């Protein structure tokens, strides 16, 4: 399927829909159009298991009348259907109740220009299934061949996504942009004692094909990480320092994003609700949300309500500087938006992070592991986080550290601490920022955490 | 496109109405033209609406409308997949050819003549709730909101939501099957937040069943009951203590605890993992994998249950499958590719999130059947441990069987009695090891009517879980209080 995402065409659709919505009686309207094109291949034990190719297009509409809101979603772009859809959406507003704060942004708030953030790889369209299969095969083969203890594989997946996004608002904005993204993940399996198997993975991702790691290197690293888990065991219940690898630290940072969201704050669903301007983390912690990084995975030239994207310092040396807000949550909290609205075709605007980054420290990660006894955490499992109270308890895998070295792999334990205490007791930040995804962290060390095991 | 706001008569024509066997046979032929061995077509038409009430007001109303076709072509274990939202003849043929590209062979298979599958109807609904007037649904939200607020002055915030969905599917296969189903779903949920001098806690209650608005007339499902239950949990948890850390006995309450089955054994018995030998249950059929007290079934035929399906997304009838009988592993959950590999019958577990996804072996309603013990005796038998009542979710690593699940309402058991409420805590265990630790099974089996959604390979499908009261002799409790 050769149809390419076309940002200009999407913008025309968005503007067309906007005019139908106004004609149908909407006092305010916003239209988001997404046109995507995906290619995904999976290779397992050298054989192709899946080749998936598809183009997909949909539009999301938000309409307001008398401060009543309706949010609708359709994939039908025939002009007659679009017109009817606009009518029905405006009619739906009658079921909502008036909310004086429900309104589009003011005209002067809207973005005036759309920066080019270098998010589109011109070579992405020519990246085809054959090439994807070749890289996936290479990556998997490197893992399978590097050590005879690698006996099986969950496969290697290579994906390429190309998308166009356009947004038009009756508050005075219309714009669009394209983005591309490629990724390769390799997931080998090793046999362990007691019929257990150990799985691990490693991945590379970039907006540009040229930014991907070599497939073979990905496979070798995946195998190395999986082999290291052989002989994993539980440890006794204890209180020790814990070092979080960047991948595990990223999960913590993602949970922090949820409680600095203005939406969670006015909904009384964040333990940080009354804490702006106070210390919420160790002075070693500075967190920014920056949508304007060139070529970065979470970058966006404007936000989900058509406001200019801008960097926000969320936590500065441990002090909470601001909550991230879209227009509605900002009004609820009596302030201005931070340009942090996200928007999908299936729902209205909501607070979302862009590139949410915990800035790298100066400590080499090996130095963080210099503890007498401790836990090195490679990954977390489960949903044990209560944002209202900060209670935090997760399954964990990793390694036991004795006298500064990792001595054996650990699994089937939980680690628990109040989330507020976790951030305040960070006593080391690594210099190894992992920039592969839109939530980015270096290694972190927490001075003491409860480990539950045998 | 739906015009549904008022009466049923205003519902628009079904966009799948023009899809008949002639269209399907032509597309299947196109899909197999490059040498594929098997092809199927999956047409889906999904309408949905949702209402959210916050701070006593209907904050937003939403509507969704999705139509699409997914085409799958198989050659050996390899899948070619493509989809489209546009059902023009040219576009559907292009998609069929794209999916067919996985195959490259000189010999081609012709599709068999299609004949219709007649199945049972485990969730008869005369008409979708989508056709009912919107103000009726707003009234339901208001009743739950008022009940939650009225429960206790410490309730400071209430959110109520109602979501309705009507999904029609049409499956055509190149080996001659034609299956269709209409799958309603009505979901209702309340979230309450309680506050008291510096403390804050949340509580949830809700349900999701394949029903129309008559759901609210069922015992336990009046909007007020869900409102009060959410408020009760939030208040009860205000003074919750830190949970202990370490290995100890746990009593699982009836119903929701089935999430343990789902994570501890259900995923590991999905046939794709066993075909690939990446599950810790690989090659274990006929062997003991659990205590003799454990009999586990996956049952797609429970009337109106969230996980029930009349036909799966590969056109096979949903059914009741025995997975573990008195501790012995009896069977896997199959999709088409795996059933062929194991020379097994289809079990009706090939499911997908939408036309954009290929089917995978998935659970429906997964249950541990009731036993002999009196639930009160089970609690009385524990000197010091935990009683688990409500859960917020779980996750498993299929390869080694390690799983976690999170408790949102639990109590300390001291000398056979429930005492202090405990703060949110995770349990972690290993599937086969934990099922061997099952030492008592109550006679009070219950299927949870909660909103459970299972994720796998990025695809979400609705499921059900159920258990009686169960005692696990030892499992690791991830609290913060060390002995």
């Amino acid at each position: 399927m050769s149809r390419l995402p076309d940002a200009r065409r999407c913008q025309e659709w968005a503007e067309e829909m906007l005019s139908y919505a106004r004609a149908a009686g909407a006092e305010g309207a916003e239209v988001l159009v997404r046109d995507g094109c995906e290619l995904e291949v999976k290779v397992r034990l050298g054989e192709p298991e899946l080749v998936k190719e598809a183009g997909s297009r949909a539009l999301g509409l938000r309409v307001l009348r008398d401060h009543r809101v309706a949010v609708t979603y359709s994939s039908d772009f025939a002009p007659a259907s679009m017109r009817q859809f606009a009518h029905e959406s405006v009619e739906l507003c009658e079921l909502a109740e008036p909310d004086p704060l429900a309104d589009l942004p003011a005209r002067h708030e809207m973005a005036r220009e759309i920066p080019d953030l270098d998010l589109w790889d011109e070579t992405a369209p020519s990246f085809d299934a054959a090439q994807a299969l070749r890289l996936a095969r290479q990556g998997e083969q490197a893992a399978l061949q590097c050590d005879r203890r690698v006996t099986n594989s969950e496969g290697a997946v290579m994906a390429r996504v190309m998308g166009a996004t356009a947004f038009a608002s009756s508050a005075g904005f219309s714009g669009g942009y394209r983005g591309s993204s490629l990724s390769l993940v390799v997931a080998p399996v090793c046999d362990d004692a007691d019929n257990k198997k150990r799985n691990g993975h490693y991945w590379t991702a970039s907006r540009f094909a040229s930014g991907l790691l070599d497939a073979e290197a990905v496979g070798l690293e995946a195998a190395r990480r999986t082999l290291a888990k052989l002989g994993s065991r539980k440890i006794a219940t204890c209180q020790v320092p814990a070092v979080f690898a960047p991948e595990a630290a990223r999960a913590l940072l993602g949970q922090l994003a949820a409680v600095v969201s203005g939406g969670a704050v006015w909904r009384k669903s964040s333990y940080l609700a009354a804490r702006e301007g106070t210390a919420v983390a160790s002075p070693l912690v500075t967190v920014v949300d920056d949508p304007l990084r060139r070529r970065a995975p979470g970058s966006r030239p404007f936000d989900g309500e058509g406001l200019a994207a801008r960097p926000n310092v969320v936590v500065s040396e441990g002090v909470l500087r601001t909550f991230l807000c879209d227009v509605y949550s900002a009004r609820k909290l009596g302030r201005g938006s931070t340009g942090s609205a996200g928007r999908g075709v299936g729902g209205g605007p909501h607070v979302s992070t862009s590139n949410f980054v915990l800035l790298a420290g100066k400590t080499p990660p090996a130095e963080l592991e210099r503890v007498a006894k401790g836990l090195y955490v490679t990954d977390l499992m489960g949903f044990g986080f209560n944002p209202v109270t900060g209670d935090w308890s997760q399954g964990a895998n990793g390694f036991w550290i004795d006298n500064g070295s990792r001595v054996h792999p650990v699994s089937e334990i939980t680690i628990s601490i109040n989330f507020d205490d976790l951030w305040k007791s960070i006593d080391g930040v690594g210099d190894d920022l992992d920039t592969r995804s839109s939530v980015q962290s270096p290694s972190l060390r927490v001075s003491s955490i409860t480990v539950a095991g045998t | 496109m739906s015009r549904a706001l008022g009466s049923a008569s205003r519902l628009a024509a079904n966009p799948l109405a023009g899809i008949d066997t002639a269209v399907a046979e032509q597309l299947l032929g196109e899909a197999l033209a490059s040498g594929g061995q098997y092809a199927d077509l999956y047409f889906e038409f999904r309408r949905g609406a949702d209402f959210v009430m916050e701070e006593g007001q209907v904050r937003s109303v939403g509507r969704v409308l999705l139509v699409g076709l997914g085409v799958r072509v198989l050659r050996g274990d390899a899948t070619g997949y493509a989809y489209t939202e546009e059902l023009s003849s040219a576009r559907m043929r292009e998609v069929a050819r794209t999916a067919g590209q996985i195959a490259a062979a000189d010999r081609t298979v012709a599709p068999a003549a299609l004949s219709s599958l007649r199945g049972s109807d485990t969730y008869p609904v005369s008409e979708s709730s989508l056709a009912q007037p919107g103000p009726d649904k707003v009234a339901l939200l208001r009743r739950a909101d008022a009940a939650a607020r009225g429960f206790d002055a410490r309730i400071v915030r209430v959110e109520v939501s109602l979501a309705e969905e009507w999904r029609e599917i049409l499956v055509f296969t190149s080996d001659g099957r034609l299956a269709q189903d209409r799958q309603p779903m009505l979901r209702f949920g309340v979230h309450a937040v309680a506050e008291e001098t510096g403390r804050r806690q949340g509580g949830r209650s809700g349900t999701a069943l394949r029903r129309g608005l008559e759901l609210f007339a069922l015992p336990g499902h009046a909007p007020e009951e869900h409102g009060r239950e959410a408020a009760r949990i939030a208040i009860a948890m205000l003074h919750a203590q830190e949970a202990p850390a370490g290995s100890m006995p746990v009593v699982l309450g009836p119903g929701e605890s089935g999430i343990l089955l789902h994570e501890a054994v259900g995923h590991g018995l999905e046939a794709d993992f066993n075909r690939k030998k990446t599950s810790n249950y690989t090659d274990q059929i006929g062997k003991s994998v659990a205590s003799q007290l454990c009999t586990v079934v996956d049952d797609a035929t429970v009337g109106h249950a969230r996980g029930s399906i009349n036909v799966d997304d590969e056109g096979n009838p949903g059914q009741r499958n025995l997975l573990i009988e008195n501790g012995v592993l009896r069977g896997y959950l199959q999709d088409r590719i795996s059933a062929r590999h194991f020379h097994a019958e289809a079990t009706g577990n090939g499911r997908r999130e939408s036309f954009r996804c290929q089917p995978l072996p998935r659970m429906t309603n997964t249950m541990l059947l009731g036993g002999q013990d009196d639930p009160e005796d089970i609690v009385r038998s524990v000197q010091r441990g935990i009683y688990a009542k409500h859960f917020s979710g779980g996750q498993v690593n299929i390869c080694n069987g390690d799983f976690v699940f999170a408790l949102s309402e639990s109590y300390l058991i001291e000398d056979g009695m429930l005492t202090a409420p405990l703060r949110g805590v995770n349990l972690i265990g290993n599937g086969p090891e934990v099922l061997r630790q099952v030492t008592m099974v109550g006679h009070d089996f219950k299927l949870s009517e909660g909103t459970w959604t299972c994720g796998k390979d990025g695809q979400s499908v609705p499921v059900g879980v159920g258990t009686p009261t169960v005692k696990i002799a030892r499992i690791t409790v991830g609290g913060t209080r060390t002995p």
Side-chain angles (χ1 to χ4, degrees):
Chain A
M1 261 175 276
S2 51
R3 196 188 71 191
L4 275 183
D6 180 345
R8 191 176 301 261
R9 184 72 191 96
C10 288
Q11 203 177 330
E12 285 165 13
W13 272 312
E15 289 168 11
E16 190 184 337
M17 193 71 207
L18 198 60
S19 66
Y20 295 145
R22 297 173 95 162
E27 287 158 7
E30 287 173 336
V31 186
L32 178 77
V33 177
R34 279 261 161 83
D35 189 11
C37 179
E38 67 164 318
L39 166 68
E40 181 187 339
V41 307
K42 182 171 184 182
V43 167
R44 188 175 163 270
L45 300 178
E47 296 296 324
E49 185 176 289
L50 174 71
V51 175
K52 183 171 173 181
E53 270 191 274
S56 176
R57 195 153 60 204
L59 71 81
L61 174 63
R62 181 165 75 127
V63 288
L64 292 109
R65 192 155 79 172
D66 304 330
H67 293 281
R68 299 168 193 256
V69 184
V71 176
T72 55
Y73 168 30
S74 169
S75 57
D76 192 343
F77 285 77
S81 310
M82 284 171 74
R83 217 172 277 134
Q84 191 182 344
F85 184 71
H87 259 283
E88 289 161 0
S89 301
V90 174
E91 266 182 74
L92 268 185
C93 290
E94 291 164 22
L95 290 176
E97 289 165 311
D99 177 350
L101 297 184
D103 207 346
L104 299 184
R107 196 159 281 271
H108 68 85
E109 290 181 276
M110 307 307 286
R112 308 221 176 278
E113 53 192 51
I114 297 165
D116 178 7
L117 300 174
D118 204 12
L119 307 177
W120 174 256
D121 179 358
E122 289 294 343
T123 74
S126 59
F127 189 94
D128 63 7
Q131 196 177 351
L133 284 166
R134 189 169 52 75
L135 289 177
R137 224 181 240 124
Q138 269 177 18
E140 194 200 36
Q141 196 174 21
L144 287 169
Q145 291 182 349
C146 79
D147 191 303
R148 60 177 47 199
R149 291 172 298 166
V150 180
T151 50
N152 200 347
S153 169
E154 291 185 289
V157 176
M158 175 86 225
R160 181 218 57 198
V161 180
M162 301 185 292
T165 301
F167 184 76
S169 166
S170 62
F173 178 83
S174 174
Y177 64 100
R178 281 193 302 182
S180 56
S181 170
L182 299 99
S183 64
L184 170 67
V185 56
V186 180
V189 177
C190 301
D191 281 318
D192 207 343
D194 301 332
N195 198 44
K196 281 193 182 181
K197 296 163 208 308
R198 299 293 167 190
N199 59 325
H201 68 274
Y202 193 66
W203 55 282
T204 179
S206 174
R207 290 206 173 258
F208 283 69
S210 60
L212 293 173
L213 288 178
D214 180 52
E216 206 170 320
V218 174
L220 288 173
E221 180 61 12
R224 190 189 69 73
R225 288 175 178 230
T226 308
L227 288 163
K229 297 184 177 186
L230 285 171
S232 276
R233 58 181 197 261
K234 267 195 209 189
I235 49 177
T237 300
C238 59
Q239 298 257 4
V240 283
V243 180
F244 290 82
E247 289 92 342
R250 184 165 81 82
L252 303 178
L253 191 57
Q255 290 165 332
L256 185 72
V259 286
V260 297
S261 153
V265 171
W266 77 257
R267 290 185 166 91
K268 303 184 193 291
S269 294
S270 167
Y271 73 91
L272 292 178
R275 301 270 297 277
E276 226 172 6
T278 71
V280 299
S282 135
L284 299 173
V285 174
T286 293
V287 179
V288 300
D289 187 59
D290 185 357
L292 297 178
R293 298 196 168 191
R294 295 177 70 78
R295 293 197 177 199
S299 293
R300 55 189 179 209
F302 49 85
D303 87 344
E305 293 174 289
L307 272 62
R310 65 178 219 210
N312 288 293
V313 177
V314 179
V315 176
S316 169
E317 297 179 348
V319 176
L320 178 60
R321 292 294 175 200
T322 185
F323 298 119
L324 294 175
C325 290
D326 58 2
V327 167
Y328 187 81
S329 61
R331 287 182 186 152
K332 287 296 264 189
L333 299 175
R335 57 177 77 187
S337 168
T338 56
S340 304
R343 178 80 196 267
V345 284
H350 55 275
V351 176
S352 95
T353 55
S354 55
N355 298 297
F356 197 62
V357 184
L358 198 161
L359 300 187
K362 295 199 166 58
T363 316
E367 225 163 274
L368 296 177
E369 293 179 53
R370 281 194 199 140
V371 292
K373 291 197 187 311
L375 184 69
Y376 184 83
V377 181
T378 53
D379 55 278
L380 298 168
M381 270 181 98
F383 305 91
F385 174 49
N386 181 341
V388 179
T389 58
D391 290 337
W392 188 93
S393 163
Q394 304 248 263
N397 293 299
F399 298 89
W400 182 245
I401 301 173
D402 194 352
N403 213 0
S405 345
R406 299 182 204 174
V407 289
H408 67 79
V410 172
S411 65
E412 212 190 318
I413 55 160
T414 66
I415 50 178
S416 305
I417 185 172
N418 186 278
F419 204 58
D420 195 28
D421 297 335
L422 183 150
W423 284 102
K424 284 181 173 162
S425 58
I426 285 174
D427 64 359
V429 175
D431 62 4
D432 54 343
L433 186 70
D434 178 356
T435 59
R436 290 174 296 170
S437 69
S438 59
V439 178
Q440 306 181 357
S441 179
S443 297
L444 300 175
R445 186 174 65 200
V446 174
S447 61
S448 178
I449 203 161
T450 305
V451 177
T454 56
Chain B
M1 172 163 304
S2 156
R3 317 159 115 200
L5 250 189
S7 66
S9 62
R10 289 192 61 199
L11 288 177
N14 186 328
L16 303 186
I19 308 299
D20 56 21
T21 52
V23 171
E25 280 167 8
Q26 191 204 11
L27 290 173
L28 287 168
E30 199 97 41
L32 292 174
S34 307
Q37 294 158 338
Y38 166 88
D40 56 30
L41 312 175
Y42 181 80
F43 288 93
E44 180 181 7
F45 173 39
R46 192 188 289 230
R47 284 177 292 140
D50 65 275
F51 301 79
V52 180
M53 175 171 279
E54 288 180 288
E55 299 176 323
Q57 286 203 310
V58 180
R59 178 80 60 210
S60 171
V61 292
R63 188 168 292 274
V64 175
L65 193 128
L66 262 184
V67 186
L69 161 67
V71 181
R72 175 172 70 150
V73 177
L74 300 183
R75 190 200 53 184
D77 288 352
T79 300
Y81 200 83
Y83 62 82
T84 177
E85 290 113 358
E86 188 188 321
L87 300 188
S88 69
S89 171
R91 184 80 181 127
M92 291 196 294
R93 291 173 62 184
E94 186 190 346
V95 164
R97 281 194 300 271
T98 302
Q101 283 169 12
I102 187 82
D106 302 332
R107 291 180 48 201
T108 58
V109 185
L114 291 161
S115 65
S116 187
L117 175 95
R118 281 267 156 261
S120 52
D121 191 356
T122 61
Y123 32 81
V125 173
S126 55
E127 68 171 347
S128 166
S129 60
L130 285 163
Q132 308 286 331
D136 292 4
K137 297 161 198 169
V138 172
L140 295 164
L141 300 179
R142 215 175 288 294
R143 284 166 58 191
D145 179 75
R149 282 169 195 286
F151 183 83
D152 192 296
R154 290 169 289 176
I155 298 296
V156 293
R157 187 187 142 73
V158 178
E159 180 172 331
V160 190
S161 64
L162 185 152
E164 33 186 352
E165 183 179 281
W166 184 263
R167 182 190 197 204
E168 297 185 21
I169 62 167
L170 257 176
V171 186
F172 300 94
T173 70
S174 65
D175 53 10
R177 262 170 305 145
L178 186 184
Q180 53 189 313
D181 198 14
R182 309 162 117 211
Q183 302 173 338
M185 185 71 75
L186 186 59
R187 178 172 63 71
F188 189 74
V190 184
H191 179 218
V193 177
E195 216 171 56
E196 183 191 307
T197 54
R199 294 167 188 270
R200 196 178 272 174
Q201 266 288 4
R204 289 179 191 276
S205 179
T207 186
L209 294 170
R210 295 199 182 279
R211 286 193 180 270
L213 293 180
E214 79 282 0
L215 178 148
F216 296 100
L218 298 174
H221 293 311
E224 290 83 359
E225 291 174 89
H226 285 293
R228 283 193 293 266
E229 175 67 0
R232 182 194 66 75
I233 296 172
I235 296 286
M237 290 297 112
L238 269 179
H239 290 275
Q241 300 183 354
E242 284 184 43
S247 179
M248 64 195 73
V250 170
V251 176
L252 302 170
E256 287 185 17
S257 305
I259 190 166
L260 176 130
L261 269 295
H262 180 100
E263 304 298 349
V265 288
H267 278 294
L269 298 182
E270 290 166 344
D272 49 349
F273 301 117
N274 291 284
R275 169 169 64 84
K276 298 172 187 177
K277 299 187 185 294
T278 55
S279 163
N280 62 325
Y281 290 102
T282 300
D283 300 329
Q284 300 285 302
I285 292 215
K287 296 187 182 163
S288 163
V289 297
S291 133
Q292 286 184 358
L293 301 171
C294 295
T295 292
V296 179
V297 301
D298 184 80
D299 190 350
T301 69
V302 183
H304 299 284
R306 175 163 165 86
S308 292
I309 44 174
N310 291 322
V311 293
D312 75 0
D313 298 324
E314 300 183 302
N316 289 307
Q319 60 188 51
R320 180 181 169 98
N321 294 300
L322 180 63
L323 301 179
I324 294 174
E325 185 179 27
N326 302 325
V328 177
L329 183 60
R330 294 296 182 205
Y332 297 134
L333 300 166
Q334 305 282 355
D335 67 349
R336 181 189 167 86
I337 295 176
S338 297
R340 205 178 55 102
H341 173 91
F342 286 110
H343 305 291
E345 294 289 315
T347 60
N349 293 92
R351 303 183 66 189
R352 45 182 140 195
E353 179 179 286
S354 76
F355 65 89
R356 298 193 177 108
C357 309
Q358 67 276 20
L360 298 170
R362 302 299 294 264
M363 286 173 258
T364 61
N365 301 298
T366 313
M367 313 182 277
L368 176 71
L369 301 187
Q372 305 294 323
D373 292 301
D374 185 83
E376 289 180 17
D377 289 346
I378 298 179
V379 175
R380 268 197 290 271
S381 76
V382 175
Q383 204 175 22
R384 188 170 180 279
I386 282 183
Y387 183 83
K389 189 164 180 192
H390 282 295
F391 298 79
S392 55
Q395 190 184 340
V396 63
N397 177 325
I398 310 291
C399 279
N400 60 29
D402 288 353
F403 67 91
V404 291
F405 60 130
L407 307 184
S408 53
E409 186 186 3
S410 62
Y411 295 86
L412 202 60
I413 305 177
E414 291 169 298
D415 298 325
M417 310 259 286
L418 301 197
T419 56
L422 299 174
R423 307 186 74 145
V425 63
N426 247 305
L427 303 186
I428 190 160
N430 180 267
E433 286 165 23
V434 164
L435 286 191
R436 288 194 180 96
Q437 295 282 332
V438 170
T439 52
M440 293 175 92
V441 176
H443 52 60
D444 56 341
F445 173 83
K446 188 176 156 200
L447 182 67
S448 166
E449 294 183 316
T451 306
W452 300 104
T453 300
C454 170
K456 174 175 172 182
D457 285 3
Q459 295 192 43
S460 295
V461 298
V463 295
V465 298
T467 53
T469 300
V470 173
K471 178 178 174 184
I472 296 175
R474 294 203 86 71
I475 187 168
T476 300
V477 176
T480 40
R481 208 149 38 92
T482 44

